[in-house]
Amino acid sequence: MSPSAVKTSHDQSTQDAVRAMSAGAGSAERLATPVLQVADLAVSFDNSSGGPRIQAVNGVNMTLFPQQTLAVVGESGCGKSVTAMSTMQLIARPPGRFDRGSILFEGRDIVSLSEEEMLSIRGGKIAMIFQEPMTSLNPVYSIGDQLMEAIFLHQKVGPDEAKRIAVQAMKDVGIKKPEERLAMYPHQFSGGMRQRVMIAMALACRPKVLLADEPTTALDVTIQAQILELLRELQRTRDMGIMLITHNLGVVAENADVVCVMYAGRVVEYANVFELFDEPLHPYTRGLFRSIPMLRDTRERLVTIKDVTHDPAEFRKIPGVIPWWPDMPAGVRPEGAPGRDEHVLVEVRPNRWVGCWRTPELEARSHRRPSLDYRRGDR
Amino acid sequence: MLSYLLRRLAFMVPTLLGITLMVFMLLALAPGGIGAGLAVQGGQMSDTSRVAQMQAYLEDRYGLNDPVIVQYVRWLGRLSPVKFGMRDLRDGNGERVPAPRAIDEPPLAKAFPVPVVTVPSVVIATGEGAIPQFKKMQREAEGTRRDYVGKVRLFKDAIADYARAAGSPLKERLNGKGGADPRDFSDVAFDHSNAAWPKLEKAAADMHTSHTAALVAQTQAMQAFRAHPYPTSGIPLIPDVVSLDTPDLGVAFSKNRPVWDLIAAALPVTLLINLIAFPISYLIAVPTGVLASVRRGGGFDMFSGFLYLSLYSIPTVLAGVFAIGFLANKQYLGWFPVSGLHASGSEAFTFMPFTDASGVWQRGYLFDTLWHVGLPVLCLVYGSFAVLSKQTRASMLDNFSADYVRTAKAKGVPRKDVVLRHVFRNSLLPLITMFVGIFPAMLAGSVVIERIFSVPGMGSLVIEAIDLRDRELILADTFLIACVNMLALLLADLLYAAADPRVSYD
Amino acid sequence: MQNRFGIKDFVFLVVLLATLGSVWLSMVQKTRMELAQQGMSAKLADIEQQVAQVSRKLESGAGVVRGATAASASTAATAVSTDQSWARPGVKVEHWAAPHCAIDPTTIPGFGMGGEFTELFEAQPAKLTPYISSDVYSTRVLDRVCENLSTFDPKTLRLVGALADGWQIDPDGLWIRAHINPRARFSDGTPVTSEDIRWTYMDFINNPLIEAERARSTQDNLKEVKVVDGLTVDFIFTEAFFTNILIALGNPILPKHYYAKFEPSQINQGTGITMGSGRFRLSKLPSGPEDLSNQWTPGEDVVLVRNEQYWAEKPALERMRFKSIKDDLGRLVAYRNGEGSMMLPTSPQFNKVIKEEPEFEKSNYALKWTNMRCGYSFIAWQCGPRSGKNLTPFADKRVRRAMTMLLDRERMIRDIWDGIGIVSKGPNNPESPASDPAVQPLPFDQDQAKQLLTEAGWKDRDGDGILENEKGDKFTFEYTYATGGEISERLARFVKDSYGKAGIIVTTRPVDWSRYQELLKLRDFDAITMGWGNNAPESDPRQIFHSESIKEGGDNFTQWVNKDCDALIEKGRRTMDEATRMAVWRQLQACIAEDQPYTFVRVAPWLRFVKRDFGNVNTYKTGLEPQEFFRVSGNAQPSPSAN
């Protein structure tokens, strides 16, 4: 079922949009309430060398639905980790600062919550796993201790019950002989096992959202496949949304439902995975795909992203809009709307958003925030 | 783990040997030599020859005549629990009784032939009479030996006079101090017409007479010794060759008391002060460091850093002077006592404080000691905060940016627990390393503080020993410090293994 | 590894250690209390015994008179026996009274028995055992606990009897006979007999197993000590020297019955096996070999209690305590806090307190005086070849005299020692009869000095301000001194400046104590500072000034040879008559003053602070006599000192 494109004003509350959507859709097959909504988020950091503030995230929008895997793709420094960490208020303030925007979790704005209130959300409702399993576990405590720490924080249970939950969590992630393993220390595990432990720790309290920040980048390919399959499995059984942050397009292709491509702190493209891979609309995305070397390729020189983004023709492929790009080739950059942010995320086709330059025409229109309740199985 | 321990302990032995050998050689090479503290003041003696004899006797008693390496081996032999040779006896009071020492041959036996000595046989008493007979023989042996050693010395002086009278080339054979080493004169045909000859001849005759007496006495005493008037000491492994016995640290010749007694009296005092001081310094410095690292750059961080560095910069002597001049002086604050470790008459105190019949609160021994120890501990501790707290702070800051801290935060661990349970626990490791650097400091004692507050601890003991070149005391102290140093390093490694599960010894 | 070391464990460990520590400390304290109790029960037993003795005496009709009334006390004290039955015929007998106070304290207002007197020492004595201990602090303690046959009269410095109530000295110097006062008792009540004396000399000092080296070596001239009868003893000598008198009469007498209980090794290693017949006794004394742990050890205060069994006039003080505080400032603060009754201030402390606190002397005696125990400091000039090789400029007597005249010693005392001290003019103590009061020290006279130097061949030949000799060598010498304090540094600077002005280059060589001793032994110096102490009004100059003592082992470090002085020394040593001998010493003094092998610098007076809580504090020629002090009671005015 494809969600109808409902045009709403960009300052209408999401609740209205949701109500409108469900009213319009009329179908109760699936819960269409997004579990996590990032709306116009902007985060900046102090510039230690004295210059202007560094804008890490500049007006990012994305929506995550239950049992959906949203892949956030981009090169290093595009702001994807910052987005995820802001979700849990893990950004140190100072030097960081929320400039504007909101993050709604199950309808509640969590950007403005106090530290105390966040404590119950972190780990309990939203969990995060990180890139380096080798160092992400505390080397001086046993993994049993660390698992149970997570459990005790969010569940009022006694030590025996907690142990049982921990053992179960380890079983769920596929660690054999979990009772024995509880007393072991992280350095006694291999990388893949440690990541499993991290996952077990993250999922022990049954969160609604799992933020996975490059979880397999540091692992070898076979383990990578196992971990991702595990994640898919767990998502299915637990009714959990996963925000998968990665720069690996292969992982995206295999695992994502919806893809959000970011660059320089902004979203440049947002679509479901199949449509994105079939036909990338933004020059940057095209450049990404074209630069992947193909097996049967006989060219001597690979295509670079710059080859694509420096080609003015690439920017004229979508009628009515010019895709936003900070380093435009000569003569293509349009007039922006004065006094407004130069970038706007436009739904150029149904359920396909592209980041474009905010021309006066685009400024006049209202734009729906990206929201795709899509899963791969829907195809 | 056990094999690791054993290996470490086994490695200690060669290290200790090397350390003691080096210290021994340094002492021997130092100006003043070993036993400079034995230098005899002439004072009221009637004759320089008497002084020379006494000097010779003292050197003989402490074995200072032998080459340095022989002295070292002898010292080692006394120290080691494995003993070679004849076993000592132990008398009724537990004192060690060694065998009577052998008498050396008189020098220049070729030019001055030694008369043959026949030792009259003597009946060795058994039972009741054994001990008195042995004591008498011991006294005789000691007296005659003393006499003989003195006569040998006079003989050497006579050779020196002869050489001086004979002029060159013989005169050149004298050593730097104007004395004569008989071995340098072994090829000399002595000229009877030399002015100093009669004296030399007489000195030789005296020497031989006393040698005979000494040899007789020693032989008889040795016979009595062999009959074991007292029980033997130690555990034999191979009878008369190898045995086990308690180590003997020797007698300190500057104080004329067994080294062990001196150390046993001084060590508890030093330990008391240090064992109180070191937890205090840790308990204040470490939490301050943690707090400073958490609020880095904040008011507390700056203030504590400033305060500790200022304290660190105050020299101990100045601090001691201030402490005595203000805190102990009744004209100013007078909160603490001036010196010593106990009040006069503290033996009569009860241990715990109580209120006596007239309603006066009596301090009690425990509080009296703590009160006296207060100022020395304060002076010992005030400078140590800086290093410890800075180290803690740095280590904590390092660990704040660690990945597992991020994980912990993501799990929802409250900030306080993140700092204390995760970050602090990992920052402990450098602190453990520092912790065992303090053990050697404990043994050395704080010399300055002990001097200022008249605390009779290890520090003042060692400094006096070094000043007077008291070999036994210096060596024993070096040995103890080296031992404890290595044990402390071992402890550090074990603690490390306990603290950090990644470390294991197999 | 399974175990984890958390903060909780650490805290637990610390608490555990602290508890263990406290338990151990409490056990130590318990033991000490038990020992104190044992001591008390022993004392009770003692007292019972005394009471028994006293009642026996009363029954037998003997009168017991002990210093109760002033009158009876003084007669008992000064009574002199005239019994000569023990003496050898033909030789004069000198009779003496029992030991008594030079000034009777009972006549002074405020007199009362009891009280504790605390003396603050600078360092711990290492041992207290007589003949085995060697430092000056133990001597101060021993003087109270043990007695000699004779003692020095505090006012006149003459030798008077203590344990001995009479003696005879052979005019030929080969024997001395002494008679013990029949009332003499050791502190446990046992009478002092001639057997004790014989045993002290023959079986204690001369026992090779007992480490009494020093005493033994000074007594090689003593051939034998013979018991004549129960109270009479003969000392037989091989040669006649005046030192025989002090050897016989000036050594502490030890109780045989007590010391014979111990093995020589126990005596050697013991720190506080001290028993005698003196006015006080050690409060902690082992009763026998099984009680050795009941001994004073270094680290504690030395506590003496009044000897209740003292056979002559008992002292007023009940207790004397000796405390050691190493730090100068700490000592002063402790004294002022009331933790001490007497202390030795340093010269700067003394002056500062006197100048800045006029109130101080209202409650304290500030004493400064010269007595027989004062030593002297000097600069020794190398008269012979240095280390047996080269001669120094000081081989010439004129140079040495010039060096003395170039040094403004009055100024030195003013500047370096804050004005405390007097210029020394010879080896004898100015209070001693051996010192000629008419002789003056060489004056500070730069012109005369220059003249002397010119005569000796040293003058400024090339106008550079520095003296040279005919060969063109510059006059330069090395000044050696032992490091250890500001005074030695200041002295070195003063010396350097003084001689620099006269055209002599001085290089200073500070060395540490052990090296200093070695250099002395090797005679390896040009000029060196030193000091000698004193224990008696006269000492044997042979060891220091005779040319025989130039050899190794002798203390003639300067290698000074003067045949006239040698002759005088020999003559004086063998003169038994005191008056004649003193005349010889005065001649010797003149001889030394003529030759100046030393430049005598200063006689250091004794400085003392004593609280005015105590009375009868008098400065004598022997020093202070604390056994005469008493604690001023209640409302009585503190008595002024009788200087």
Side-chain angles (χ1 to χ4, degrees):
Chain A
M1 162 180 131
S2 56
S4 50
V6 176
K7 289 205 172 61
T8 54
S9 151
H10 62 253
D11 42 25
Q12 199 177 4
S13 86
T14 317
Q15 294 277 29
D16 294 342
V18 166
R19 259 185 270 120
M21 275 196 334
S22 13
S27 156
E29 255 183 8
R30 204 189 301 268
L31 195 63
T33 325
V35 68
L36 187 69
Q37 263 190 302
V38 179
D40 195 29
L41 181 68
V43 178
S44 61
F45 289 90
D46 287 339
N47 191 337
S48 56
S49 53
R53 295 183 71 89
I54 300 170
Q55 200 70 30
V57 177
N58 201 345
V60 159
N61 294 282
M62 54 183 84
T63 317
L64 179 66
F65 285 88
Q67 291 205 356
Q68 180 186 63
T69 303
L70 169 66
V72 179
V73 182
E75 52 188 52
S76 309
C78 69
K80 39 193 212 294
S81 297
V82 175
T83 311
M85 304 239 289
S86 315
T87 317
M88 296 219 286
Q89 285 200 31
L90 284 181
I91 306 288
R93 292 176 282 180
R97 190 178 69 188
F98 277 121
D99 292 332
R100 60 178 189 278
S102 66
I103 303 178
L104 299 174
F105 173 70
E106 290 182 340
R108 218 171 89 192
D109 184 12
I110 56 176
V111 169
S112 52
L113 281 189
S114 72
E115 179 73 12
E116 275 219 35
E117 292 161 323
M118 274 313 291
L119 283 181
S120 61
I121 292 189
R122 284 194 208 127
K125 301 272 167 47
I126 307 179
M128 191 159 173
I129 61 177
F130 297 93
Q131 176 173 345
E132 297 279 357
M134 303 301 267
T135 51
S136 293
L137 288 171
N138 195 329
V140 300
Y141 291 110
S142 69
I143 60 163
D145 282 335
Q146 298 187 51
L147 266 171
M148 291 203 281
E149 182 183 29
I151 295 169
F152 282 132
L153 280 168
H154 301 286
Q155 303 178 38
K156 279 193 175 38
V157 292
D160 297 320
E161 179 66 14
K163 192 156 171 225
R164 201 193 54 75
I165 299 175
V167 167
Q168 182 60 42
M170 300 230 292
K171 278 206 194 114
D172 287 347
V173 297
I175 297 176
K176 300 207 180 35
K177 298 203 204 141
E179 295 87 2
E180 288 169 26
R181 289 259 157 90
L182 268 186
M184 292 170 90
Y185 286 88
H187 66 275
Q188 293 167 292
F189 287 72
S190 69
M193 296 291 271
R194 279 189 226 188
Q195 197 62 296
R196 286 178 198 261
V197 167
M198 289 283 291
I199 297 172
M201 224 160 59
L203 300 186
C205 303
R206 305 197 170 259
K208 290 267 160 262
V209 173
L210 176 67
L211 307 171
D213 190 349
E214 315 227 28
T216 53
T217 311
L219 302 171
D220 62 65
V221 182
T222 44
I223 307 294
Q224 182 171 293
Q226 290 173 15
I227 298 289
L228 289 168
E229 191 182 310
L230 173 65
L231 283 176
R232 279 203 301 275
E233 176 68 26
L234 289 169
Q235 180 179 44
R236 206 172 43 77
T237 54
R238 286 163 183 241
D239 187 29
M240 190 172 64
I242 300 181
M243 184 189 291
L244 180 63
I245 298 168
T246 178
H247 57 259
N248 185 333
L249 290 172
V251 166
V252 173
E254 288 278 321
N255 296 281
D257 296 329
V258 175
V259 182
C260 170
V261 182
M262 282 179 67
Y263 186 80
R266 301 183 197 276
V267 177
V268 297
E269 190 155 358
Y270 194 104
N272 78 49
V273 61
F274 297 111
E275 289 181 10
L276 187 80
F277 274 76
D278 283 340
E279 191 192 353
L281 291 178
H282 194 285
Y284 176 63
T285 326
R286 283 207 286 277
L288 275 179
F289 287 138
R290 281 205 213 141
S291 60
I292 298 173
M294 297 294 183
L295 255 184
R296 285 177 284 277
D297 218 333
T298 52
R299 286 175 298 182
E300 295 216 337
R301 195 178 156 275
L302 292 172
V303 178
T304 64
I305 295 177
K306 274 219 180 84
D307 286 343
V308 180
T309 55
H310 277 191
D311 183 357
E314 294 285 342
F315 287 84
R316 299 198 189 95
K317 293 226 169 125
I318 311 170
V321 295
I322 299 176
W324 174 86
W325 188 246
D327 190 21
M328 293 290 287
V332 190
R333 187 184 167 132
E335 278 281 324
R340 301 281 293 162
D341 186 27
E342 61 189 23
H343 166 281
V344 64
L345 199 56
V346 179
E347 193 174 4
V348 298
R349 287 188 202 163
N351 293 326
R352 291 210 63 175
W353 285 261
V354 174
C356 305
W357 284 100
R358 193 191 290 267
T359 55
E361 303 85 44
L362 286 177
E363 175 64 11
R365 282 159 49 187
S366 66
H367 301 278
R368 181 167 83 105
R369 292 229 165 78
S371 175
L372 264 183
D373 186 8
Y374 177 83
R375 292 159 192 71
R376 339 176 115 222
D378 294 352
R379 188 172 226 200
Chain B
M1 194 55 170
L2 186 63
S3 71
Y4 174 74
L5 263 174
L6 288 176
R7 251 186 302 136
R8 283 293 293 263
L9 289 172
F11 273 129
M12 275 171 68
V13 176
T15 319
L16 284 173
L17 277 179
I19 293 175
T20 49
L21 182 64
M22 200 175 72
V23 172
F24 205 100
M25 293 307 160
L26 273 175
L27 274 176
L29 289 171
I34 299 177
L38 278 184
V40 177
Q41 300 277 311
Q44 295 291 326
M45 282 186 221
S46 58
D47 203 331
T48 43
S49 68
R50 271 286 153 187
V51 177
Q53 288 183 53
M54 188 166 136
Q55 189 81 44
Y57 166 65
L58 284 173
E59 285 177 5
D60 173 65
R61 193 170 85 199
Y62 292 111
L64 296 174
N65 280 331
D66 300 320
V68 181
I69 197 72
V70 170
Q71 293 186 43
Y72 177 66
V73 173
R74 206 183 311 135
W75 180 79
L76 264 189
R78 252 193 297 123
L79 182 69
S80 89
V82 177
K83 308 247 186 257
F84 300 95
M86 210 179 326
R87 283 154 67 199
D88 296 337
L89 307 176
R90 269 198 197 273
D91 68 11
N93 297 311
E95 295 291 324
R96 201 188 291 265
V97 178
R101 281 177 295 166
I103 306 279
D104 292 332
E105 275 281 303
L108 288 189
K110 273 212 307 227
F112 300 93
V114 184
V116 175
V117 180
T118 41
V119 181
S121 65
V122 62
V123 176
I124 303 296
T126 48
E128 277 279 319
I131 293 181
Q133 184 193 44
F134 177 68
K135 280 203 212 169
K136 190 153 153 287
M137 287 186 168
Q138 210 185 10
R139 180 173 162 163
E140 186 66 23
E142 193 62 33
T144 48
R145 188 196 173 91
R146 182 172 182 268
D147 199 44
Y148 171 61
V149 165
K151 293 291 188 295
V152 169
R153 179 55 186 270
L154 290 179
F155 179 66
K156 287 188 191 164
D157 286 347
I159 296 178
D161 286 338
Y162 177 89
R164 269 190 286 268
S168 346
L170 272 184
K171 199 161 144 196
E172 313 310 320
R173 295 200 195 180
L174 294 176
N175 67 20
K177 297 189 219 168
D181 185 351
R183 288 171 298 191
D184 295 335
F185 291 84
S186 53
D187 59 346
V188 172
F190 286 93
D191 176 15
H192 294 232
S193 60
N194 186 309
W197 170 252
K199 193 157 153 240
L200 181 59
E201 201 180 11
K202 179 162 183 307
D206 285 341
M207 183 176 69
H208 289 145
T209 320
S210 64
H211 171 253
T212 308
L215 193 54
V216 165
Q218 192 261 349
T219 315
Q220 291 179 338
M222 184 60 103
Q223 285 177 353
F225 185 87
R226 284 218 170 87
H228 290 177
Y230 298 112
T232 49
S233 145
I235 306 166
L237 293 178
I238 307 173
D240 269 349
V241 179
V242 182
S243 59
L244 281 178
D245 203 346
T246 52
D248 178 15
L249 286 169
V251 175
F253 36 78
S254 64
K255 295 198 165 55
N256 226 329
R257 285 179 68 196
V259 169
W260 178 245
D261 288 352
L262 291 169
I263 291 184
L267 193 58
V269 170
T270 303
L271 280 182
L272 178 71
I273 295 184
N274 281 281
L275 283 176
I276 294 182
F278 131 76
I280 290 181
S281 77
Y282 263 80
L283 285 174
I284 294 184
V286 170
T288 323
V290 170
L291 210 53
S293 70
V294 164
R295 290 181 224 281
R296 172 185 171 182
F300 184 80
D301 186 16
M302 310 249 104
F303 173 69
S304 68
F306 170 73
L307 179 67
Y308 289 161
L309 280 175
S310 322
L311 284 178
Y312 182 71
S313 322
I314 301 178
T316 320
V317 179
L318 191 59
V321 167
F322 276 141
I324 293 188
F326 290 111
L327 290 174
N329 193 344
K330 292 230 166 78
Q331 291 182 317
Y332 295 96
L333 288 173
W335 290 336
F336 289 95
V338 173
S339 72
L341 279 183
H342 303 286
S344 315
S346 66
E347 304 87 44
F349 286 4
T350 58
F351 187 66
M352 300 299 287
F354 71 103
T355 327
D356 70 9
S358 50
V360 178
W361 182 75
Q362 296 288 346
R363 266 202 301 274
Y365 185 71
L366 178 66
F367 280 110
D368 182 59
T369 313
L370 287 178
W371 185 52
H372 275 86
V373 150
L375 275 184
V377 164
L378 182 68
C379 287
L380 200 53
V381 135
Y382 75 92
S384 63
F385 298 137
V387 177
L388 275 176
S389 78
K390 286 286 177 206
Q391 179 69 48
T392 314
R393 180 180 175 275
S395 183
M396 294 277 291
L397 286 177
D398 262 349
N399 284 310
F400 271 138
S401 49
D403 284 343
Y404 55 81
V405 173
R406 193 178 51 177
T407 312
K409 284 192 201 159
K411 280 199 299 199
V413 179
R415 188 162 168 69
K416 182 169 78 92
D417 283 339
V418 169
V419 169
L420 287 180
R421 287 195 59 199
H422 289 266
V423 181
F424 181 62
R425 183 75 177 68
N426 280 278
S427 313
L428 272 185
L429 302 178
L431 292 182
I432 291 179
T433 316
M434 289 188 68
F435 161 92
V436 295
I438 295 190
F439 275 73
M442 286 218 273
L443 267 210
S446 174
V447 176
V448 175
I449 291 180
E450 290 184 6
R451 204 194 159 278
I452 294 175
F453 293 102
S454 296
V455 172
M458 289 293 284
S460 42
L461 193 65
V462 173
I463 282 293
E464 278 172 32
I466 293 175
D467 219 14
L468 296 171
R469 307 274 194 282
D470 188 337
R471 179 192 73 192
E472 303 290 332
L473 201 47
I474 297 177
L475 277 175
D477 203 73
T478 314
F479 181 76
L480 260 179
I481 293 181
C483 264
V484 173
N485 224 337
M486 280 185 278
L487 284 174
L489 287 175
L490 185 59
L491 178 67
D493 288 339
L494 290 177
L495 270 179
Y496 235 94
D500 189 348
R502 290 171 285 187
V503 174
S504 86
Y505 305 107
D506 287 312
Chain C
M1 296 192 59
Q2 298 291 326
N3 50 332
R4 252 185 312 124
F5 191 70
I7 299 188
K8 282 184 292 211
D9 300 316
F10 181 71
V11 169
F12 169 71
L13 195 65
V14 166
V15 169
L16 182 68
L17 281 176
T19 320
L20 285 176
S22 298
V23 168
W24 178 77
L25 268 181
S26 79
M27 293 205 293
V28 166
Q29 173 62 346
K30 263 214 166 44
T31 323
R32 291 174 90 176
M33 283 178 68
E34 278 164 25
L35 284 178
Q37 268 190 336
Q38 276 180 17
M40 281 209 281
S41 38
K43 195 170 177 190
L44 274 175
D46 241 352
I47 294 178
E48 281 179 14
Q49 213 187 16
Q50 280 185 51
V51 169
Q53 276 186 357
V54 167
S55 55
R56 251 182 281 128
K57 281 212 181 106
L58 283 175
E59 282 169 28
S60 69
V64 178
V65 180
R66 288 277 180 270
T69 60
S72 65
S74 50
T75 31
T78 49
V80 175
S81 149
T82 47
D83 172 27
Q84 294 200 353
S85 55
W86 50 270
R88 289 197 202 193
V91 181
K92 183 177 89 149
V93 179
E94 294 178 82
H95 293 282
W96 307 105
H100 55 276
C101 297
I103 294 179
D104 186 3
T106 56
T107 57
I108 300 176
F111 176 79
M113 300 284 280
E116 177 174 305
F117 185 81
T118 307
E119 188 173 333
L120 296 178
F121 279 162
E122 301 85 67
Q124 282 279 353
K127 292 188 180 211
L128 290 180
T129 320
Y131 298 112
I132 298 184
S133 63
S134 50
D135 53 79
V136 64
Y137 308 108
S138 53
T139 316
R140 286 219 253 273
V141 175
L142 278 178
D143 283 345
R144 318 269 159 259
V145 178
C146 297
E147 283 184 317
N148 313 344
L149 282 170
S150 69
T151 184
F152 289 108
D153 182 294
K155 290 195 200 155
T156 62
L157 281 189
R158 313 216 55 234
L159 204 62
V160 299
L163 269 179
D165 69 353
W167 62 61
Q168 291 180 296
I169 301 179
D170 176 24
D172 298 323
L174 290 174
W175 57 265
I176 294 176
R177 178 174 284 204
H179 183 257
I180 305 169
N181 191 319
R183 291 190 359 233
R185 301 274 180 280
F186 289 112
S187 57
D188 61 352
T190 323
V192 180
T193 63
S194 46
E195 175 58 23
D196 291 309
I197 299 182
R198 190 204 66 79
W199 187 87
T200 302
Y201 283 90
M202 293 287 114
D203 285 335
F204 189 91
I205 299 178
N206 276 314
N207 184 344
L209 294 172
I210 293 189
E211 287 164 16
E213 316 312 336
R214 261 161 249 276
R216 196 154 50 230
S217 302
T218 54
Q219 291 180 10
D220 54 294
N221 196 29
L222 178 65
K223 195 158 83 169
E224 201 190 343
V225 177
K226 271 211 306 234
V227 166
V228 175
D229 64 37
L231 289 175
T232 318
V233 70
D234 265 350
F235 295 89
I236 316 285
F237 298 95
T238 45
E239 283 190 70
F241 292 118
F242 79 99
T243 41
N244 295 346
I245 302 178
L246 271 182
I247 290 175
L249 303 175
N251 279 314
I253 303 299
L254 305 178
K256 170 181 175 181
H257 68 281
Y258 176 73
Y259 279 94
K261 286 194 239 177
F262 297 95
E263 294 289 327
S265 59
Q266 293 168 324
I267 295 182
N268 287 337
Q269 290 172 10
T271 45
I273 306 183
T274 309
M275 182 183 169
S277 57
R279 290 176 173 86
F280 293 90
R281 59 180 181 81
L282 278 179
S283 69
K284 266 206 307 192
L285 191 65
S287 51
E290 62 294 335
D291 193 26
L292 273 180
S293 52
N294 187 21
Q295 246 186 94
W296 170 84
T297 47
E300 298 170 10
D301 296 344
V302 181
V303 181
L304 303 179
V305 291
R306 178 168 57 214
N307 179 5
E308 301 296 342
Q309 309 239 38
Y310 189 58
W311 54 279
E313 206 178 49
K314 278 204 291 210
L317 288 172
E318 197 210 317
R319 201 187 283 263
M320 287 187 78
R321 182 183 286 272
F322 298 89
K323 219 178 159 81
S324 79
I325 299 181
K326 289 184 211 146
D327 186 52
D328 291 334
L329 176 63
R331 225 176 312 125
L332 187 60
V333 171
Y335 174 76
R336 305 195 74 165
N337 278 354
E339 291 174 39
S341 321
M342 173 163 96
M343 71 166 278
L344 240 110
T346 60
S347 307
Q349 278 174 341
F350 188 84
N351 278 338
K352 185 161 183 284
V353 166
I354 300 288
K355 257 185 265 179
E356 294 178 13
E357 292 181 56
E359 298 287 305
F360 184 74
E361 290 199 68
K362 288 220 179 95
S363 48
N364 300 281
Y365 297 104
L367 305 171
K368 176 174 80 167
W369 79 112
T370 319
N371 58 60
M372 81 172 185
R373 294 189 208 272
C374 291
Y376 60 96
S377 56
F378 56 91
I379 301 177
W381 308 107
Q382 185 57 260
C383 310
R386 175 171 165 171
S387 331
K389 297 197 198 88
N390 305 317
L391 282 179
T392 66
F394 309 116
D396 186 332
K397 149 176 135 182
R398 291 169 293 191
V399 174
R400 296 197 297 264
R401 288 176 68 87
M403 300 307 274
T404 306
M405 288 198 234
L406 284 173
L407 219 48
D408 186 354
R409 291 173 280 173
E410 296 278 346
R411 182 146 162 251
M412 280 168 88
I413 290 176
R414 267 203 318 274
D415 290 348
I416 301 176
W417 284 286
D418 281 338
I420 296 186
I422 50 181
V423 176
S424 168
K425 58 190 184 193
N428 296 311
N429 191 293
E431 294 296 322
S432 152
S435 174
D436 191 344
V439 169
Q440 291 300 320
L442 286 184
F444 171 57
D445 189 337
Q446 288 171 308
D447 299 317
Q448 205 183 355
K450 219 179 271 193
Q451 206 183 343
L452 277 169
L453 285 169
T454 314
E455 275 177 43
W458 294 97
K459 57 178 184 223
D460 184 12
R461 294 165 201 273
D462 53 7
D464 62 351
I466 303 176
L467 304 179
E468 296 95 9
N469 63 8
E470 295 97 29
K471 281 187 267 174
D473 300 326
K474 294 202 187 297
F475 194 152
T476 165
F477 73 91
E478 193 180 54
Y479 171 79
T480 311
Y481 64 100
T483 52
E486 221 195 302
I487 301 253
S488 22
E489 303 293 327
R490 279 203 236 164
L491 192 55
R493 273 202 296 275
F494 193 96
V495 164
K496 193 170 170 148
D497 287 341
S498 303
Y499 293 128
K501 284 199 206 112
I504 301 172
I505 305 177
V506 180
T507 50
T508 54
R509 176 165 71 153
V511 292
D512 87 308
W513 183 246
S514 295
R515 178 94 179 110
Y516 174 84
Q517 305 231 330
E518 201 189 13
L519 291 175
L520 281 178
K521 248 171 59 169
L522 298 174
R523 327 290 191 223
D524 184 8
F525 59 90
D526 290 334
I528 197 166
T529 37
M530 262 196 88
W532 288 116
N534 268 317
N535 258 330
E538 59 180 320
S539 54
D540 187 349
R542 184 180 198 280
Q543 187 68 3
I544 302 173
F545 292 109
H546 199 282
S547 53
E548 274 291 300
S549 298
I550 295 180
K551 283 196 304 223
E552 189 187 348
D555 286 341
N556 192 345
F557 308 118
T558 57
Q559 304 183 83
W560 176 60
V561 179
N562 183 316
K563 293 295 172 204
D564 295 330
C565 282
D566 283 354
L568 281 171
I569 292 175
E570 282 302 320
K571 184 159 157 219
R573 287 179 80 210
R574 291 178 192 276
T575 307
M576 301 305 289
D577 174 55
E578 192 178 322
T580 327
R581 192 168 64 241
M582 293 302 167
V584 175
W585 293 147
R586 294 186 185 192
Q587 284 179 292
L588 179 63
Q589 182 183 6
C591 191
I592 294 173
E594 173 66 23
D595 255 29
Q596 296 283 315
Y598 292 173
T599 294
F600 296 97
V601 176
R602 168 184 178 252
V603 177
W606 270 25
L607 299 172
R608 296 285 184 274
F609 287 152
V610 185
K611 293 226 183 281
R612 282 194 192 266
D613 298 336
F614 293 89
N616 205 19
V617 175
N618 303 307
T619 55
Y620 294 114
K621 290 190 181 177
T622 49
L624 283 178
E625 301 289 332
Q627 64 269 18
E628 300 185 5
F629 296 172
F630 63 89
R631 187 167 191 105
V632 177
S633 53
N635 301 322
Q637 285 291 334
S639 64
S641 73
N643 265 22

